[in-house]
Structures are given as C-alpha cells and as structure tokens.
Amino acid sequence: RDDPLADDAVLRIAVVHHGAGRLDEAIAVLRAFQESGSENGEGLVQSFLLEAELFQRSDRPADMVAVYDRGLATFEDEPDLLYGRALAYERLDRVEEAIADLRRLLELEPENVEAMNALGYTLADRTDQFEEALALITKAFEAKPDNAAIVDSMGWVLFRLGRVDEALVHLRRAFELQRDPEVGAHLGEALWVSGDREEAR
C-alpha cells in the first residue's frame, strides 16, 4: 500500500466510478484507501481532496465539510484541506468558521495569494470589515494582477466601499478575463448602481 503508482490507480478508479454515475462506489474506494494504513501521506491527502471534490460536483457542501474534518483530523493544518473546508463553510453560510480557517491558513502560509484573496473576498462580501478586505485583496492583486478572480475581488471590495467608478474599471476587466456568471453579476450590480441600467441588464 506504499506504492505511489498503486495509490494513484485508486484515485483513478474512484474517478471512473464517479464518471459512470456510481458516486457511492467512488466514495467507498477512497475511504477504503484512507483506512488502509498507507504511509503515502500525499496520496492520502489527495484522496480526501478528491472525495470532497466529488461531493462538490453533487452540490453536497455539508458532506464536503465532513470529508475535510476527517482529513484534518489526520493531517492537522494541511493547507489544501484547510482552504477547501473554508470554501465549503462559506457555501453553507458558516462564515465565521470559513474566516477562521482562512486566517489559520495565512498564519501557516503568509504569502499564500489564493488564501489572501479568499479571505479578502469573504470579508468584503459577507462582513463589514471592508478595510481589512481591501488590504488583503490589494496584496493579492499586486502578486497576480491578471488573475480574473483577484481582479473581480478588487472590483467587488471597491464597490462595497462605495467607490463605484473605480470598481467598474476592475469588474469590466475581470469580465473580459473570464466571463464567469458571478463576475457578471458583480459587474451588473455595479452598473445598475452607477445608473447604467441598460448595460446592467
């Protein structure tokens, strides 16, 4: 059970099961591996991440949190598991827990740009801590100025601060970089508030 190739095959088998519509079989394969006593830590972490991803595809965020909880019980403070659980918490409106996981991740990895952006966006979108959100997103933006998600976050926090004209510059650019429905919704809302109702529609 310590053969990385064999462990990779387990993950592939789970993906095949899921692709064929057999979610229960996919989960069973992954959990058998997780309980196998394998010393392949990386493979085990990947199995938890994959299991959570399969639940995500089925829109089951509560099950995702349960997977991350099990993974973090074995691999305490593992960054990818913390990040994933934070996003799942946010989907469940467990905002304070999401923020706590992201803050912990930034304690462990202060230069983690994705975590900076995720925490900044969550603070901007779900709290009134706009100044801290702006500081986090600005740092992420400086590191990755062409990342559509980060550009969108910059626009959104500026919008939440009432700086609508500045927000529109970033939100238009984010939508050019990635025509994502959420980015489009942000742009539409900012356009509506700016008075440009026709373009907003």
Side-chain angles (χ1 to χ4, degrees):
R1 291 256 26 115
D2 298 329
D3 180 354
L5 292 177
D7 295 341
D8 185 59
V10 169
L11 303 185
R12 291 176 184 275
I13 289 168
V15 170
V16 169
H17 277 306
H18 182 266
R22 299 188 297 267
L23 176 61
D24 290 344
E25 287 89 338
I27 299 304
V29 167
L30 293 170
R31 292 188 180 175
F33 173 44
Q34 293 158 7
E35 296 166 5
S36 67
S38 170
E39 296 182 4
N40 179 2
E42 182 177 350
L44 288 169
V45 169
Q46 289 303 314
S47 75
F48 286 113
L49 293 171
L50 177 57
E51 184 181 351
E53 181 184 338
L54 298 184
F55 282 128
Q56 179 181 14
R57 293 180 191 177
S58 300
D59 194 25
R60 292 166 58 176
D63 288 315
M64 292 171 64
V65 168
V67 173
Y68 290 125
D69 285 344
R70 286 192 292 105
L72 286 162
T74 304
F75 299 97
E76 184 178 5
D77 285 341
E78 203 289 321
D80 289 338
L81 295 173
L82 274 175
Y83 183 78
R85 188 172 69 175
L87 299 187
Y89 275 147
E90 197 276 336
R91 288 182 62 191
L92 289 165
D93 292 324
R94 294 167 63 175
V95 177
E96 291 304 317
E97 290 160 292
I99 289 170
D101 272 355
L102 291 169
R103 289 195 188 284
R104 178 57 182 157
L105 179 51
L106 283 173
E107 289 176 6
L108 298 166
E109 298 183 346
E111 301 306 314
N112 186 318
V113 175
E114 284 70 27
M116 280 178 218
N117 180 59
L119 178 55
Y121 178 81
T122 302
L123 292 173
D125 192 54
R126 307 297 294 270
T127 79
D128 59 0
Q129 299 174 55
F130 302 135
E131 294 299 337
E132 182 183 1
L134 179 60
L136 287 160
I137 293 167
T138 297
K139 189 173 181 182
F141 182 76
E142 289 169 352
K144 293 187 176 181
D146 297 318
N147 180 289
I150 294 172
V151 177
D152 173 62
S153 294
M154 178 61 79
W156 191 239
V157 71
L158 291 169
F159 175 77
R160 295 279 280 164
L161 284 162
R163 295 159 59 178
V164 178
D165 289 343
E166 293 173 82
L168 281 170
V169 173
H170 292 286
L171 292 172
R172 287 185 196 280
R173 181 159 178 267
F175 197 56
E176 289 171 1
L177 288 168
Q178 181 175 322
R179 291 191 173 271
D180 177 85
E182 186 173 1
V183 177
H186 290 163
L187 176 57
E189 187 169 347
L191 286 166
W192 189 269
V193 169
S194 76
D196 194 341
R197 303 294 170 86
E198 183 176 349
E199 187 180 356
R201 287 190 185 95

